[in-house]
Every structure is written in C-alpha cells, then in structure tokens.
C-alpha cells in the first residue's frame, strides 16, 4: 500500500465533492483526507485528496477521477516536488500550573495558543501531517479534550505545472 | 452455517413471515437457504412490486416488510419501491445480492452500486463486508427501520459473504446505536404548553397525518378528540384515523381535499398537527396555518418540525406515547360554537360534480363500493384521478386506507393489496386503480394466482392517464399530449387468461348488484368500471 496525494481542479459546481466521494466509496477506494476550497478563480475548486492503495489501484483512481465531468485536471503531488500543509486545532486540558509547559510545547512546533480558558487551551498548529502527529505524540501525557484536523492541502513547487484557468 | 443461513436465521428471529423478491445469481445462496425455513417466499413479477408488497405487509402488521432481490438490475428495479416507502415512512428491510466483494468497483456483470444509488431514499443502508457481522447488522436494520420515523433500510450482501462460513451465530437481543437515539417521549414542559393552548383555544383542530397510523396512535387520537370535542381533519396519509362518518371528522385537507376541511384549518386558532409533514399537497400555503394562530406540531422526526412551517409549540416524540399521556391530562375548552360553524360549512358544501348518466360516476361508485365492504376492510387506492376520487369518497370505518401519498407511485395498489391480503388473509382487501396504474402492475396477477392470494381489483377505466389529462385540460387548454391509453388490452380477455373472474360496470344502473357480486366472489376477480373519459375530479 502506497500513499498518494492527488490534486484536482474541478468546476465549482454544487455536488462536485459528493460526486468525488461517491466515486471513492462506490469503487472501494480509500480516502484518508479530502479538502476542498475555491481557487483564485471562483469558477473552480481545488481539491486535495490523500488516498492509498497498490500501484494498479492508484492508477485506476487517477483515471476514474479524471473521468468525472466536473474534474478539469488531476495530478499527483509528489512529496519531493510539492508542499503539503495541514491545520490542526487541539483543545488540551490544563491546570494553571501546566499551562506554561503546554505553551512552550506549542511554540516548539510554531503553534499558536488561540484560546485560553481556566481549564484548557486551544493550540493551532500548521504543518505537514507528520509534524501534527509529532505534536500530538508529545501531548500524550495531557488530556486532549477535542481535536480538529483539516486534512492536507497541497501545491506543487515552482511554476511549471501550473494550470492557467483563463 | 454460511452467511445465507445466518440471514434466514435473522429473519426468523425477527418473526418475518414472508419475503417478497426475485432471485438472481447474486442472491441465490440466500434463496437456497430460505427453502429450509418456514419463512414464506413470494415471487413477484418485477422487483419494484416486491417493495410495494412488503409495504402492504408493513402497514398491516406494524413490522418491517422484507424483500430480497438480486444485484444489478434486480437492485435498481426496486429503487422506486424503496423511494415510495421512504416518502411515506413505511418500514422495510430490503436485502440485495451483490457481486463478489473482491470485484466490487470493477463493473463486473450485474454490479450496481445500490447503497450509493439509494442513498437519498433509505433511512440507512449497509454493505456487508464481514460475514460475522450479519446478526448485528440485521438486528440494527430491523430496529432502525421500525423505530423513530420509520423507513426502509437496505442491506447489500456480496455473494461471497453469503457463502462464507459463520463461526458462531447468535442474534443480539438488544441494540444500542451510539448515533441513533430517536426521541419517543414528549417533553413534559411542551406537553403542558399543548394542553394550556388547547384549553384556551376557541377554534382548535387536530390535523392527523400518516404518522398517527404508523405509530399505532389511531384510537388514542380519536379518543382524545372525543374526550374534548375537538374536530379532526386528516391528510391523505392520515385517512382512516377517524371513521368517515364520525361526527368530529371533517375530511381530508389539501389541494385535493374537501373545502370545509381546508376552511377549518384556515380558520382555526390552534392547529395540532400530528405525524404530518405539512407538505405541499396537504398544506399549500404554510403561512396560512401559522399566521395569527398557534401551531402545535407533533412529530417523531425533529427535522420535520419547522421544515415547512414554523411551529409555536414543537413537540418531538412518538404519537402513541404522546397521546397516551395527553388523554390523561386534564383541561377543558368550550368549542361548541366552533363545531357549530364547521357543521354549517359542512352543510353548505356543494357537490359540484355533474356526472354523465351514460357512465359510471366514480365518486358515487366508490362511496357505494366502500360502503358495501366489510367494516374492517382494507381499501388500497392507486395514484391518479382514481386516488383523488377514492380519498374523497371512500368510506372507512374500522378498516384501513392505504395509498402511495408522498411519492405518488402509480401501480402501487395491486402489489400493496397483495401484501396486505397476505398479512391479514381474513380481512377483505380491495385494490382500486385506474387503467393506467393497472397496466403498471398487471404482471402481478400471476403472483396472486401462484401463491393463492385472493385478488379483488377495481379498475376505473377512462382510456386516459386521467390526472395528467386533467392537468393538461386546465394548464394547456386541452392540448393533450401523450395521455391517451389507446392500445390497452381487453381486460376481460386479459384477466381470463389468469383465471380471474371479470365483471364490468358501464353505468350506475346495476352498480349495487355488481358491487355485491364483486365483493362476494371467492375467486380472483377484477371489476372494470367505465367512466367518462372527460370526467374531472
């Protein structure tokens, strides 16, 4: 099983996300995460899908996704030629005494404390998935009250593979 | 034991008495196993009707109807039946065969993504991945289908799972689902508000929907109304909650309803909607039932409350549970003037029909037919002009009135009647359809014959898709397009081929005698009534 990050440019039509996720469930493909957002041109959405499977399956996934009428381009975001980022919000229970420790943990990961309550804080951290995982690992000694992860968004490096939307 | 045996065991544990369906390779392990069981199998002639027949069973027994069909076209054919049940909140458990798990997603022979395709018409669906999960899944499916707001649940079972070895079968006695906990009991504070509002009301009305019947609250709602003298109207799905001749019953509301029922809704100061969706056909302008009045909306589905009309007092819960409490709560209101007004409206109702004597008058015929039926008979109405005539004229006493309300699926009546008769063989069951809807389900005549289920079918024949013709009459000024049923078969010859008796009524002169003959006939029988092709409801 290999992991693969696919980037799609799709028409920003209603239901496009459901068509894509429907395709994955119908054909039994894995989705680890899927994120979607409008591009600079509001007619289009950029969708980043993290999927996994063996080589043949991954090839099928790309072809099947490309076949969807709303999908304009599909490309693989290879790790060494792309950047990935994920945002995570972590609500951690703290006492006043523990708070400083949490704050310094967060700052190691260039995380921000975006909310402080008497008994908990919310850390915002951005990075690739392994960075988020690493922060969570370090927080294991604390009680994580709530966790929200966005799944990754990605772009290829450089200007070579850019699709001009005009 | 293999998966297929386990499925049959689950059905036995749920006390399922019959399964409607149509086999194909992908469901063959199941049909092989069920042969050794006491669960009866009924071969329908097209899959859609398996769901309608199961719907008939469900509506008569209050337990989920079950059907089992094969993968691919078998599964896609049943979708309309599932959607019909979903629209009317009828509990079904639909089992579909599926291709081998390994091949899923590869478009092999007779593969269809049926869980995906039915997504918006099922209450829930399962694709069985592990044979050991079968007992748990079936337990959940029956529970989900028949609790809260009832509805169809689909279980898609790949053929390799049906054939896989089950190490240990044990049917769970209870089910607890983390994310599904329907509210059954009404909130005490809201209940008090309901009683307070009714006590202060001058012109209250109860509008009962299909939910009253599905929850088994019919007699409770009736006695609540009687206890306090509150008038009752119903939606199409609620027809039968009150006996037609009950003094407190003012008929069916909606654009196909009766004028004084709609007037009663419009002029009421407190409306108590029970198990009704406030959908467009029942309440054309939701504003009218909320503006300047108190709307009490009782429904087991919180999402129905406030969907089409904002209620003053929302009350989530099961109608039966809520009315068990409401009948015990004390309040007194004086609604005599209001009843007097409604009686006046009823008296002044003008029957605007002017039927031609050369034909059967469907309105009068239906009143006579249903009046002559046994007291607890089941009247199954199809869809079209015949449905509107049935709704307006069928006399229901202790019986049932079954029809496809939400989806308006033509061809529903014959398979539904088949299921109803099978569920309650001692009750008189009559399907009333038009010549269009009859031809959508006429293949099921063979099913009645094969399984020795008595058929009593009335066909209101006018040679047209009457409801559409009527619409084209009004909306397109008689520019009739694709509504003529020319080419229809000679029904006498057709039903004779199935060994049915055939009766024909061409005008009202012999109506009484022919109806009597029709109802007394112990053979399968079809009565064709020739109505004026240009008649309007």
């Amino acid at each position: 099983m290999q992991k693969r990050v696919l980037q799609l440019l799709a028409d920003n039509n209603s239901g496009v996300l459901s068509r894509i996720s429907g395709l994955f469930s119908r054909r039994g493909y894995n989705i680890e995460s899927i994120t979607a957002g409008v591009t600079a041109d509001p007619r289009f959405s950029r969708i980043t899908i993290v999927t996994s499977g063996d080589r043949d399956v991954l090839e099928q996934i790309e072809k099947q996704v490309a076949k969807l009428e709303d999908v304009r381009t599909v490309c693989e975001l290879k790790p060494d030629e792309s950047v990935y980022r994920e945002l995570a919000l972590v609500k951690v229970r703290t006492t006043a005494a523990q708070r400083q420790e949490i704050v310094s943990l967060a700052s190691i990961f260039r995380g921000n404390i975006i909310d402080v309550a008497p008994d908990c804080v919310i850390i915002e951290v951005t990075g690739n998935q392994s960075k988020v995982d690493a922060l969570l690992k370090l927080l294991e000694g604390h009680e994580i009250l709530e966790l929200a992860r966005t799944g990754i968004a990605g772009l290829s490096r450089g200007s070579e593979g850019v699709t001009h939307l005009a | 034991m293999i998966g297929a045996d386990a499925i049959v065991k689950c059905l036995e544990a749920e006390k399922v008495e019959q399964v409607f369906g149509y086999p194909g390779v992908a469901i063959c392990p199941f049909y092989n196993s069920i042969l050794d069981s006491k669960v009866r199998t009924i071969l329908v002639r097209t899959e859609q009707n398996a769901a309608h027949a199961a719907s008939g069973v469900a509506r008569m027994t209050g337990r989920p109807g079950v059907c089992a069909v094969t993968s691919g076209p078998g599964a896609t054919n049943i979708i309309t039946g599932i959607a019909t049940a979903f629209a009317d909140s009828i509990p079904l458990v639909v089992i579909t065969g599926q291709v081998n798990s390994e091949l899923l997603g590869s478009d092999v022979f007779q593969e269809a993504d049926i869980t995906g395709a039915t997504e918006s018409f099922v209450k829930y669906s399962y694709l069985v991945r592990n044979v050991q999960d079968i007992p748990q899944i079936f337990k959940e499916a029956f529970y989900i289908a028949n609790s809260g707001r009832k509805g169809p649940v689909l279980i898609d079972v790949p053929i390799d799972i049906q054939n896989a070895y089950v190490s240990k079968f044990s049917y769970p006695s209870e089910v607890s689902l983390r994310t599904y906990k329907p509210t059954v009991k009404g909130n005490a504070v809201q209940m008090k508000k309901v009683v307070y509002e009714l006590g202060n009301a001058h012109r209250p009305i109860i509008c009962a929907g299909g939910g009253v019947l599905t929850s088994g609250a019919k007699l409770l709602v009736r006695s609540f109304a009687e206890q306090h003298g509150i008038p009752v109207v119903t939606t199409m799905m609620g027809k039968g909650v009150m006996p037609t001749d009950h003094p407190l019953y003012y008929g069916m509301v909606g654009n196909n309803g009766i004028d004084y029922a709609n007037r009663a809704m419009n002029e009421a100061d407190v409306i108590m909607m029970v198990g009704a969706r406030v959908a467009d056909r029942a309440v054309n302008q939701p504003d009218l039932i909320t503006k300047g009045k108190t709307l009490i909306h009782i429904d087991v589905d919180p999402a129905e409350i406030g969907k089409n009309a904002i209620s003053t007092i929302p009350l989530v819960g099961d109608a039966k549970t809520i009315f068990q409490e409401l009948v015990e709560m004390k309040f007194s209101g004086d609604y005599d003037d209001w009843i007097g007004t409604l009686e006046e409206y009823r008296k002044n109702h003008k029957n605007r029909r002017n039927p031609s004597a050369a034909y059967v008058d469907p309105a009068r015929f239906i009143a006579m037919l249903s009046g002559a039926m046994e007291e607890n008979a089941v009247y199954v109405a199809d869809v079209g002009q015949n449905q509107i005539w049935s709704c307006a004229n069928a006399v229901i006493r202790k019986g049932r009135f079954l029809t496809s309300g939400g989806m308006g699926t033509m061809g529903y009546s014959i398979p539904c009647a088949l299921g109803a008769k099978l569920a309650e063989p001692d009750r008189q069951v009559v399907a009333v359809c038009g010549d269009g809807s009859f031809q959508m389900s006429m293949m099921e005549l063979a099913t009645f014959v094969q399984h020795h289920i008595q058929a009593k079918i009335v066909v209101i024949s006018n040679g047209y898709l009457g409801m559409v013709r009527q619409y084209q009459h009004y909306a397109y000024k008689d520019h009739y397009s694709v509504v003529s049923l020319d080419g229809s078969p000679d029904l006498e010859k057709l039903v004779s081929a199935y060994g049915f008796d055939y009766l024909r009524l061409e005008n009202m002169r012999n109506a009484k005698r022919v109806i009597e003959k029709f109802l007394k006939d112990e053979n399968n029988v079809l009565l064709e009534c020739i109505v004026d092709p240009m008649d309007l409801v």
Side-chain angles (χ1 to χ4, degrees), chain A residues 83-163:
Chain A
V83 288
Y84 309 145
R85 286 294 179 270
E86 179 178 30
L87 174 82
L89 301 176
V90 196
K91 187 185 284 178
V92 190
R93 191 190 290 286
T94 58
T95 58
Q98 289 168 320
R99 195 173 297 133
Q100 199 46 50
E101 181 199 343
I102 302 276
V103 171
S104 38
L105 259 180
S107 68
I108 298 172
F109 287 85
R110 288 194 222 153
N112 299 315
I113 304 294
I114 55 171
D115 185 61
V116 182
D119 58 345
C120 67
V121 296
I122 297 177
I123 307 170
E124 172 207 33
V125 63
T126 310
N128 58 23
Q129 282 184 305
S130 55
K131 176 174 164 186
V132 175
D133 290 342
L135 170 67
L136 293 176
K137 181 106 182 98
L138 278 175
L139 286 170
E140 260 173 13
H142 302 268
E143 186 184 352
I144 295 177
L145 293 169
E146 284 179 314
L147 170 65
R149 296 177 73 154
T150 58
I152 72 163
L155 286 178
S156 63
R157 294 176 191 272
S159 62
E160 229 165 81
V162 170
T163 308

Side-chain angles (χ1 to χ4, degrees), chain B residues 238-310:
Chain B
K239 187 171 165 78
V241 168
M242 298 293 275
T244 310
D245 57 0
H246 195 289
L248 283 172
Y249 181 50
Y250 290 90
M252 186 180 101
V253 295
N255 55 357
N256 291 312
I258 198 148
D259 54 2
Y260 51 82
N262 286 325
R263 211 162 162 192
M265 283 280 275
N266 292 344
E267 293 181 10
D269 61 350
V270 175
I271 297 178
M272 191 179 198
M273 292 287 271
V274 193
R277 299 181 297 146
V278 199
D280 60 329
R281 293 298 152 109
V283 183
N284 209 325
Q285 295 161 275
D287 289 1
L288 284 179
I289 64 159
T290 51
K291 231 182 197 164
K293 46 186 101 197
T294 304
L295 174 63
I296 301 163
H297 196 171
I298 303 174
D299 206 292
V300 74
D301 178 0
E304 280 305 338
I305 298 174
K307 186 172 86 179
N308 298 325
I310 305 296

Side-chain angles (χ1 to χ4, degrees), chain B residues 58-169:
Chain B
R59 295 175 79 168
M60 295 312 295
T61 61
R63 294 198 309 271
V66 180
C67 26
V69 298
T70 194
S71 64
T76 54
N77 264 351
I78 207 170
I79 294 178
T80 302
I82 295 174
T84 304
F86 186 72
D88 289 338
S89 308
I90 314 278
L92 300 184
V93 171
V94 179
I95 305 164
T96 50
Q98 183 54 280
V99 301
N100 201 300
S101 312
E102 295 269 294
L103 299 173
L104 273 173
S106 57
D107 305 325
V108 292
F109 179 67
Q110 293 196 331
E111 177 185 358
D113 168 27
I114 196 63
T115 48
T118 54
E119 189 54 48
S120 48
F121 309 117
V122 291
K123 193 169 167 193
Y124 197 59
S125 60
Y126 296 87
L127 170 59
V128 185
R129 294 282 189 177
N130 182 339
V131 69
Q132 315 300 344
D133 296 341
I134 284 176
Q136 183 66 33
I137 285 175
F138 273 77
K139 181 74 192 179
E140 286 178 16
F142 275 86
Y143 171 67
I144 292 172
N146 211 29
S147 58
R149 178 172 182 178
K150 302 178 180 193
V153 175
L154 182 132
I155 308 175
D156 198 23
V157 196
I159 187 167
D160 56 310
I161 302 288
Q162 293 176 56
N163 282 322
Y165 179 70
V166 179
S167 48
K168 186 174 165 273
F169 180 90

Side-chain angles (χ1 to χ4, degrees), chain B residues 398-410:
Chain B
K398 291 181 176 165
R400 292 291 304 273
F401 181 86
L402 308 180
T403 193
S404 161
M407 193 54 61
T409 305
M410 282 175 69

